[in-house]
Amino acid sequence: MIQIQLNGKPYKIDEKMSVSDLLSKLSLTEKKVAVEINEEILPRENYNKKILSVKDKVEIVHFIGGG
Amino acid sequence: MEELIIAGKKYKSRLILGTGKYKDFKQTADAIHKAEVDIVTVAVRRVNITNTKEPMLVDFLDPKKITYLPNTAGCFNSEEALRTLRLARDAGGWNLVKLEVLADKETLYPNMLETLVALKVLKKEKFEVMVYCSDDPLLCKQLEDLGAAAIMPLGSLIGSGQGIQNKLNISIIKKNAKVPVIVDAGIGCASDASIAMELGCDGVLINTAVAEAKDPILMAEAMKFAVVAGRKSFLAGRMLKKNIANPSSPVNGLIS
């Protein structure tokens, strides 16, 4: 297991996990979210390729109600 | 009614609704549908990791049928705003966004210096930017010169429901602008929306006045009619104001 920062909190994942793996582990639909890793946007075509490393700061966002 | 054109795209409705502060997503969607709007504003926030099964806005309002306009509400500098909108573009796959950089928590007044900085960067990155701004005609002109897709001056403070406090400025802004002018913030009731449209504005953006009405769905419908009425009234051209009475019925042929 390795530890990453997920939406501001420590989070443990298996080694060699891709962003796609993380999203499916969280039951999140790829199309409905956007992902930032270490303050850089990860284009969705790279969700499969991008393997998460120790201490990566991952942000997963979506649209909510707002004015 | 003639269509509203923003960044080359046509919209039937001149009313834009926010999606915040409603009781739940169903009420949000019901109000939006009742108002028959084409554009809604949305915020970008972290997914709740502890409960990813909770309902999402996109399950209630289909972004394929209604244009999502992501905002930067809650951002107090250009960096935060840019980060938010880059994420929004990636989440949605579209370029049209609402830039809103706030100055302080008390007034939620726009920080125009940071707004101008962010707008420049966003234009370089090929965004189409609708800009929440102060009602200063010179700053509004500057936004247009920098390539804003629409200018969105406040009528009064966000969520205050105080209506349009400086009608004169709003009309000057409209007169100077070649891009759409949309009154954003301050609309409290339907007549406020009509006034904005009668000043010649191209549209209004409303959230709290609908979401915090006793009956949000009914108010959503009222706003739809108010915007249409105000627009038609503007296009029709109002009568001249006079200081003396002028009878509406003929004075000839009175029985005496």
Side-chain angles (χ1 to χ4, degrees), chain A residues 6-8 11 26-28 31-36 39 41-44 47 59-67, chain B residues 18-20 41-47 49 52-53 56-59 68 71 83 86-88 90-91 94 98 207:
Chain A
L6 178 58
N7 285 3
Y11 191 83
L26 293 166
S27 320
L28 286 168
K31 267 191 269 175
K32 292 181 186 174
V33 299
V35 177
E36 196 191 69
E39 303 197 13
I41 299 242
L42 181 71
R44 58 188 69 240
Y47 286 1
E59 294 284 346
I60 306 175
V61 302
H62 67 146
F63 293 124
I64 65 151
Chain B
T19 54
T41 58
V42 295
V44 180
R45 293 290 182 273
R46 283 171 167 166
V47 168
I49 298 300
T52 54
K53 297 264 161 60
M56 285 188 176
L57 184 65
V58 289
D59 301 325
Y68 271 37
N71 70 21
R83 193 176 167 195
R86 287 172 186 140
L87 276 166
D90 199 65
W94 52 78
K98 172 183 164 181
N207 193 155

Side-chain angles (χ1 to χ4, degrees), chain B residues 173-211:
Chain B
I173 290 163
K174 174 56 199 168
K175 207 158 53 179
N176 290 343
K178 290 190 185 71
V179 295
V181 173
I182 293 165
V183 168
D184 182 359
I187 302 289
C189 56
S191 54
D192 291 339
S194 292
I195 288 169
M197 298 310 292
E198 283 182 328
L199 290 171
C201 292
D202 301 277
V204 290
L205 197 166
I206 306 170
N207 193 155
T208 313
V210 173

Side-chain angles (χ1 to χ4, degrees), chain B residues 130-144:
Chain B
M130 299 171 70
V131 190
Y132 170 62
C133 56
S134 62
D135 59 5
D136 178 328
L138 297 176
L139 283 171
C140 286
K141 192 68 204 154
Q142 241 178 314
L143 293 173
E144 181 169 355

